[in-house]
Amino acid sequence: MKVEMTEQNGSTFHQTTAARPVAAAGEVLVRIAASGVNPLDTKIRAGNAAHAAHPLPAILGIDLAGVVEAVGGEVSGFNPGDEVYGMTGGVGGIQGSLAEYSAVDARLLALKPSTLSMREAASLPLVFITAWEGLVDRAKVKRGQKVLVLGGAGGVGNMVVQIATSFDADVYAVDGPQKADYIRSIGATAIDRLEDVNEYVSRYTQGHGFDVVYDTLGGTGLDTAFNAVARFGHVVSSLGWGTHSLAPLSFKAATYSGVFTLLPLLTGEGRAHHGDILREATRLAEAGKLVPRLDPRRFDMTNVAAAHRLIETRQANGKLVIDIG
């Protein structure tokens, strides 16, 4: 099979061939149609993701969508010809999705939404799972709660907005003013990121704070989240970097949860839950409540590096996807 290989940290991609894998017990062989590109992929290639250790040379690519080619022993629920998607590799020494085929743990997969293309499905797994784990698994979002999303138009952020909206929460999203129309289109109230947190807490919550705050930014974004949350509220972050004072959180008797979506891939623990979460994504997409945001530019296995450069230079407008098959 054809693969895109990365030899060392910071190097570009080169196309080569590798033996087509065979589905072992518990695995599904997927003929890959599309590979989603995440900022994490670029950090792994650059050697700037110690938390996502992936020995090089390697085949990168965390997300995929494709067609089941063969099913290994002890696998139920999938058959040859099924269209599937998942967050299946590209970390921890597990083969990624920049290849024509991959043998993946069946627990990580779900049937692709019938309403989405392969490209759209490949854009979802990492960002949707990250959003769901924080908002639903950790914060237990409920109907009528006020939910604030920091970085609401970003990859994880727009998933948080759409999931919260599907739970009938009252959703607010902070981002740049040029993204306000998009934020409103997915059901949230747009807040300019230059506005002081105390001002919008006062305007939208009468000073009480938001029941749930999901920080996708890290750094000062997490400090903003601590100041925006209500008493007894819940702050979730998918980027908990930096040094922070916990006093604003503690004085409100609020709760903090971190999200590390890669843990099941790296440890093997909790993989079945990732498949469960993607089945929720399929349900929402087929109900018209989840719409992926894709950059319209197209890439294939000959220009993967160009897609990485767009992410590294912050020029992507939505998720980037590589066409494989």
Side-chain angles (χ1 to χ4, degrees):
M1 66 175 179
K2 294 178 182 178
V3 304
E4 286 294 313
M5 188 70 70
T6 302
E7 295 291 342
Q8 58 189 5
N9 290 336
S11 68
T12 189
F13 299 91
H14 75 272
Q15 190 171 117
T16 185
T17 58
R20 191 172 104 172
V22 175
E27 292 183 338
V28 170
L29 180 66
V30 179
R31 185 171 73 253
I32 301 171
S35 170
V37 186
N38 296 285
L40 181 57
D41 294 303
T42 70
K43 294 175 183 176
I44 292 172
R45 183 173 64 87
N48 295 328
H51 63 294
H54 194 50
L56 302 178
I59 300 167
L60 302 183
I62 294 172
D63 294 333
L64 65 73
V67 179
V68 174
E69 187 80 3
V71 176
E74 303 174 15
V75 172
S76 60
F78 297 107
N79 297 290
D82 285 344
E83 295 184 336
V84 295
Y85 69 134
M87 187 180 94
T88 61
V91 297
I94 305 169
Q95 182 205 307
S97 54
L98 290 174
E100 292 182 308
Y101 294 89
S102 184
V104 304
D105 188 330
R107 294 174 295 176
L108 297 168
L109 294 171
L111 295 177
K112 180 184 78 65
S114 59
T115 52
L116 300 184
S117 68
M118 288 290 186
R119 285 170 47 77
E120 290 172 321
S123 76
L124 286 176
L126 174 61
V127 292
F128 186 89
I129 292 170
T130 302
W132 186 276
E133 284 188 340
L135 188 65
V136 181
D137 292 346
R138 306 287 192 277
K140 310 294 185 186
V141 66
K142 298 179 180 64
R143 174 195 292 266
Q145 286 185 318
K146 287 185 179 291
V147 175
L148 178 69
V149 187
L150 303 177
V156 174
N158 85 80
M159 293 289 105
V160 177
V161 169
Q162 294 185 69
I163 294 169
T165 301
S166 77
F167 276 80
D168 293 326
D170 185 12
V171 189
Y172 302 79
V174 177
D175 217 309
Q178 73 278 14
K179 298 175 181 177
D181 287 343
Y182 170 69
I183 286 171
R184 285 190 285 267
S185 77
I186 56 174
T189 297
I191 300 174
D192 191 325
R193 66 186 175 198
L194 297 180
E195 183 175 357
D196 182 81
V197 59
N198 295 312
E199 293 180 1
Y200 60 76
V201 166
S202 176
R203 184 165 68 256
Y204 293 118
T205 74
Q206 292 74 53
H208 296 299
F210 296 88
D211 301 301
V212 177
V213 183
Y214 198 124
D215 162 49
T216 72
L217 305 174
T220 59
L222 189 50
D223 297 315
T224 297
F226 290 165
N227 284 299
V229 71
R231 292 174 183 170
F232 309 109
H234 203 132
V235 171
V236 179
S237 182
S238 57
L239 282 174
W241 304 110
T243 301
H244 306 274
S245 171
L246 297 179
L249 192 73
S250 299
F251 291 153
K252 298 174 182 177
T255 302
Y256 170 77
S257 294
V259 178
F260 186 36
T261 311
L262 299 181
L263 205 59
L265 274 178
L266 295 172
T267 68
E269 184 178 357
R271 289 186 175 184
H273 187 49
H274 277 195
D276 293 339
I277 292 173
L278 287 178
R279 280 182 276 279
E280 294 292 340
T282 295
R283 177 182 62 81
L284 290 177
E286 291 182 343
K289 296 182 178 181
L290 179 68
V291 180
R293 182 174 181 240
L294 267 63
D295 189 299
R297 287 168 284 195
R298 303 292 291 258
F299 303 89
D300 57 29
M301 291 178 74
T302 68
N303 59 355
V304 177
H308 273 230
R309 281 195 296 274
L310 286 176
I311 290 178
E312 291 164 341
T313 56
R314 298 182 178 273
Q315 296 183 64
N317 186 24
K319 284 295 295 287
L320 300 176
V321 177
I322 310 298
D323 294 315
I324 304 295

